[in-house]
Amino acid sequence: MLNSCVMHHHTGPATGIMVWGGIGYHCRTPLVRIAGTLNSQRYISEVLEPVVLPYLQGLATAIFQHDNARPHVARIVQRLFVNHQIELLPWPARSPDLSPIENLWSMVSQRLTQITPPAATPDQLRQRVEAAWSAVPQEHTRSLFESMPRHEAAVISNNGGYSGY
């Protein structure tokens, strides 16, 4: 898995905007701002087709990871992955411990809380989120991937429960 790119979506990190971002061991995507409610068709047209497919095609091997949110598990989305021969990482229900991007979002959020005053507009917040996303060193992302075997072992030893990470 360390030679693969795993991507995940996330909403946040702050109230007012929704963003999607993908990370990999050696790379990350630009952020995509999602206006309004994300449904399966918008997930395809705004995230998967313009960002994910080109990104994954540029990699030698990749496993795509996303959670079980409704837009992600819709038949039309699953069909897109099958049609493009994209391997998906199975995603157990309620498993944030198994998502390395959650820790990256914490780093982004921590950077945002250090900026005062708070963003006054959604556009200002978007600019700050993008800057914080880009400022997290890739070596931090690599360390998140390298810690996954420990996270997996902790989840297994807790019978699928919270691992403490």
Side-chain angles (χ1 to χ4, degrees), residues 4-97:
S4 301
C5 257
V6 178
M7 297 167 56
H8 172 71
H9 101 47
H10 188 272
T11 56
T15 307
I17 64 169
M18 180 180 359
V19 296
W20 180 97
I23 61 170
Y25 191 77
H26 295 291
C27 48
R28 75 183 76 176
T29 69
L31 292 179
V32 177
R33 184 171 176 188
I34 308 295
T37 302
L38 184 67
N39 60 29
S40 58
Q41 189 56 53
R42 290 188 63 215
Y43 184 48
I44 290 170
S45 65
E46 296 177 25
V47 176
L48 298 177
E49 290 177 339
V51 178
V52 173
L53 293 179
Y55 182 84
L56 293 176
Q57 289 168 351
L59 302 172
T61 61
I63 300 171
F64 187 79
Q65 174 187 358
H66 60 187
D67 60 22
N68 291 321
R70 283 186 185 205
H72 304 166
V73 297
R75 279 191 210 110
I76 190 170
V77 171
Q78 298 305 309
R79 218 175 3 251
L80 179 132
F81 289 120
V82 169
N83 291 343
H84 288 276
Q85 300 177 337
I86 295 171
E87 183 178 356
L88 296 176
L89 185 68
W91 186 258
R94 298 187 181 109
S95 312
D97 292 326

Side-chain angles (χ1 to χ4, degrees), residues 77-139:
V77 171
Q78 298 305 309
R79 218 175 3 251
L80 179 132
F81 289 120
V82 169
N83 291 343
H84 288 276
Q85 300 177 337
I86 295 171
E87 183 178 356
L88 296 176
L89 185 68
W91 186 258
R94 298 187 181 109
S95 312
D97 292 326
L98 300 177
S99 179
I101 201 168
E102 294 302 329
N103 290 313
L104 183 68
W105 285 120
S106 293
M107 292 176 204
V108 169
S109 182
Q110 182 180 24
R111 288 173 183 270
L112 290 173
T113 60
Q114 295 170 354
I115 302 171
T116 55
T121 67
D123 282 337
Q124 186 180 46
L125 179 57
R126 178 192 50 79
Q127 291 171 350
R128 289 182 182 182
V129 170
E130 287 178 359
W133 170 260
S134 298
V136 175
Q138 190 64 30
E139 64 201 41

Side-chain angles (χ1 to χ4, degrees), residues 137-161:
Q138 190 64 30
E139 64 201 41
H140 289 16
T141 304
R142 284 192 289 274
S143 70
L144 295 174
F145 282 91
E146 290 166 359
S147 71
M148 289 312 296
R150 290 190 310 275
H151 289 213
E152 292 165 358
V155 169
I156 290 168
S157 72
N158 286 334
N159 297 316

